[in-house]
């Protein structure tokens, strides 16, 4: 199989694997008499582990020439940890299993970026990343539908079987990619035999600005969907979880289309210069993510009906779909020739994850004491601050040496 197609299908099947049980973990643990505090503690510890080890894993990915083996190991580790958790649902073992899943999941993101860049090169990187993202979200929607159907008839155990099968297919498509097709120097952004120091790469002004922008984006975005579901439950619109499932499917369906649109935009003749310098189209796309997020918060604050829910989730799909495409490409452009692209990508993603972790506290506190309206307005204000940061920083980014 063509490695481009193998990469796309690998993203399709691994979408259900990288997070293990994902949103079903809490349901599974509740069935085994876990308390909410225990589930929350497991979630907190695993999230902190992922944050602590994200950058070191990104550094390791830049250095290793065994990227396929690393990805295969992560897939197997997630599948085995998830299956073992099914047979040993005890607190200590569950904590270790979920820590393994979290560490492997945080490793897979930069590993996939490195694998893709090493195969297609920077000139075709934006096209392949767009295709990968479309397939990834299609895989997420497909596995969600499978899980919904089989779990209804066979119970939560069906989720474990589906995760394992998706892992098997992921390994199959990974095996179709020849190791000889991966240029490991290109994969880490090195040109020739020269590179810069790790500290200089991670402290690059453009990387820090992008990281700050992603912090604002996820601080605003992460808790909007949970607030939507919680408000629906409070208003008596839904108590079964179907409303939450519908919101996820609407967003994921939008995220299938958005990367394909991005691919069309970024592969036009006038955009091909991104291989050598920063293109203004990236600035516009990132700004559009923040605008969509601001509008999403405004709609969610003012409209509680079905139309408002559909609109907010379409906008969620637009923002998340665009960032999924342009984030790795922007980092690759910024640090071209550095030899530390994946470490820098892990750094930017870590800053975004910190924002996502704080989003729940910010949105939940305001919703509890001031109401859902002000919670959404506050999250929209964070997005507006991120937009201002991005606009003001654009001139600075333009002057960076690697952006021409």
């Amino acid at each position: 199989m063509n490695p481009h197609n193998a990469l796309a299908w690998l993203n399709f099947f691994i979408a259900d694997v990288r997070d293990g049980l994902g949103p079903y973990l809490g349901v599974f643990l509740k069935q085994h008499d876990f308390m909410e505090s225990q589930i929350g503690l497991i979630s907190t510890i695993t999230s902190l582990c992922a944050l602590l080890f994200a950058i070191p894993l990104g550094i390791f990915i830049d250095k290793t020439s065994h990227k396929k083996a690393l990805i295969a190991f992560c897939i197997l580790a997630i599948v085995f940890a998830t299956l073992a958790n099914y047979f040993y649902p005890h607190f200590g073992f569950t904590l270790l299993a979920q820590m393994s899943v979290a560490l492997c999941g945080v490793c897979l993101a930069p590993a996939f970026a490195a694998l893709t860049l090493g195969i297609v090169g920077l000139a075709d990187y934006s096209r392949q990343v767009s295709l990968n993202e479309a397939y990834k979200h299609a895989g997420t929607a497909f596995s969600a539908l499978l899980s919904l159907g089989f779990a209804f008839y066979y119970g939560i155990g069906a989720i474990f079987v589906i995760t394992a099968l998706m892992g098997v297919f992921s390994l199959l498509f990974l095996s179709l990619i020849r190791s000889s097709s991966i240029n490991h120097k290109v994969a880490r952004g090195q040109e020739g035999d020269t590179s810069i120091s790790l500290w200089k790469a991670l402290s690059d002004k453009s990387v820090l600005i992008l990281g700050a922008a992603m912090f604002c984006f996820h601080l605003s975005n992460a808790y909007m969907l949970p607030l939507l579901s919680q408000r629906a439950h409070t208003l008596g619109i839904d108590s079964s979880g179907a409303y939450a499932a519908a919101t996820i499917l609407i967003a994921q369906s939008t995220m299938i289309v958005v990367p394909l649109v991005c691919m069309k935009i970024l592969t036009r003749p006038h955009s091909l210069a991104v291989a050598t310098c920063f293109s203004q189209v990236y600035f516009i796309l990132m700004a559009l993510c923040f605008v969509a997020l601001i509008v999403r918060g405004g709609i969610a604050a003012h409209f509680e009906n079905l139309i408002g829910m559909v609109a907010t989730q379409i906008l969620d799909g637009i923002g998340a779909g665009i960032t999924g495409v342009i984030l790795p490409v922007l980092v690759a452009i910024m640090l071209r020739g550095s030899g530390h692209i994946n470490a820098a990508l892990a750094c930017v993603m870590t800053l975004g994850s910190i924002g996502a972790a704080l989003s729940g506290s910010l949105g939940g506190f305001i919703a509890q004491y001031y109401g859902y309206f002000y919670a959404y307005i506050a999250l929209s204000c964070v997005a507006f601050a991120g937009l201002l940061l991005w606009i003001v920083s654009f001139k600075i980014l333009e002057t960076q040496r690697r952006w021409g």
Side-chain angles (χ1 to χ4, degrees):
M1 178 181 285
N2 184 302
H4 294 66
N5 294 331
L7 276 171
W9 282 107
L10 176 58
N11 276 270
F12 179 92
F13 287 107
I14 209 170
D16 186 59
V17 178
R18 67 174 69 206
D19 294 324
L21 287 181
Y24 304 102
L25 176 65
V27 178
F28 170 72
L29 295 179
K30 287 292 290 181
Q31 290 181 357
H32 289 84
D33 301 321
F34 275 63
M35 303 297 291
E36 282 81 358
S37 59
Q38 292 177 303
I39 298 173
L41 181 60
I42 290 171
S43 176
T44 299
I45 294 174
T46 54
S47 298
L48 288 174
C49 284
L51 288 174
L52 287 172
F53 286 94
I55 296 176
L57 286 171
I59 296 170
F60 175 71
I61 289 163
D62 276 325
K63 292 183 178 298
T64 184
S65 59
H66 302 286
K67 295 176 177 60
K68 275 186 61 179
L70 178 63
I71 292 172
F73 172 81
C74 289
I75 294 171
L76 288 170
I78 292 172
V79 171
F80 282 123
T82 303
L83 291 177
N85 206 171
Y86 178 78
F87 295 104
Y88 300 99
H90 311 297
F91 179 82
F93 191 88
T94 299
L95 178 59
L96 290 175
Q98 294 309 309
M99 285 174 63
S100 300
V101 170
L103 289 174
C104 290
V106 80
C107 181
L108 283 173
F112 265 91
L115 186 69
T116 303
L117 184 58
I119 291 173
V120 305
L122 188 55
D124 202 31
Y125 191 44
S126 59
R127 180 188 180 281
Q128 188 62 45
V129 169
S130 301
L131 201 61
N132 288 352
E133 284 294 305
Y135 273 75
K136 183 181 77 174
H137 293 299
T140 301
F142 175 73
S143 61
L145 289 172
L146 277 182
S147 299
L148 183 65
F150 281 94
F152 180 79
Y153 287 103
Y154 302 106
I156 194 77
I159 308 297
F160 291 84
V161 176
I162 291 170
T163 300
L165 288 175
M166 291 294 188
V168 170
F169 280 104
S170 298
L171 291 172
L172 174 63
F173 281 98
L174 180 63
S175 69
L176 295 177
I177 299 173
R178 297 188 305 274
S179 297
S180 59
S181 65
I182 307 169
N183 186 321
H184 295 287
K185 281 190 175 182
V186 173
R188 60 177 174 264
Q190 186 175 347
E191 296 179 343
D193 296 322
T194 60
S195 63
I196 64 175
S197 68
L198 175 62
W199 172 250
K200 187 175 181 180
L202 295 182
S203 61
D204 187 276
K205 190 180 294 183
S206 57
V207 172
L208 294 177
I209 290 172
L210 183 59
M214 294 311 300
F215 172 85
C216 293
F217 179 86
H218 288 290
L219 178 61
S220 173
N221 181 69
Y223 209 63
M224 280 198 183
L225 176 56
L227 279 178
L228 203 65
S229 300
Q230 290 170 25
R231 185 178 63 181
H233 186 274
T234 302
L235 295 174
I237 296 173
D238 175 61
S239 59
S240 65
Y243 185 93
T247 59
I248 293 170
L249 285 173
I250 291 170
Q252 289 296 325
S253 299
T254 307
M255 290 179 208
I256 297 171
V257 177
V258 170
L260 297 176
V261 175
C262 288
M263 182 174 68
K264 292 292 184 182
I265 295 172
L266 298 176
T267 54
R268 287 178 179 176
H270 72 271
S271 298
L272 293 179
V274 300
T276 55
C277 65
F278 176 68
S279 173
Q280 201 169 34
V281 69
Y282 284 90
F283 165 75
I284 295 170
L285 285 173
M286 180 63 82
L288 182 61
C289 293
F290 284 109
V291 171
L293 194 50
I294 294 167
V295 175
R296 182 189 180 206
I299 292 175
H302 290 88
F303 298 95
E304 300 172 349
N305 54 21
L306 180 64
I307 295 175
M309 183 271 284
V310 172
T312 56
Q313 287 312 98
I314 289 175
L315 289 167
D316 179 29
I318 291 173
I322 293 175
T323 55
V325 171
I326 66 174
L327 182 60
V329 182
L330 275 174
V331 175
I333 296 169
M334 291 172 179
L335 291 184
R336 180 184 182 188
S338 69
H340 302 290
I341 281 179
N342 300 293
L345 176 61
C347 179
V348 172
M349 294 176 71
T350 298
L351 290 172
S353 297
I354 293 172
L358 295 174
S359 181
S361 298
L362 175 64
F365 179 85
I366 297 175
Q368 179 177 338
Y369 291 101
Y370 300 99
Y372 288 100
F373 174 84
Y374 289 104
Y376 277 113
I377 294 299
L379 294 177
S380 293
C381 289
V382 173
F384 182 72
L387 177 62
L388 288 179
L389 170 69
W390 184 246
I391 293 173
V392 171
S393 302
F394 181 56
K395 290 299 180 182
I396 300 174
L397 293 172
E398 277 188 318
T399 61
Q400 291 297 295
R401 179 173 59 85
R402 298 178 190 87
W403 291 49

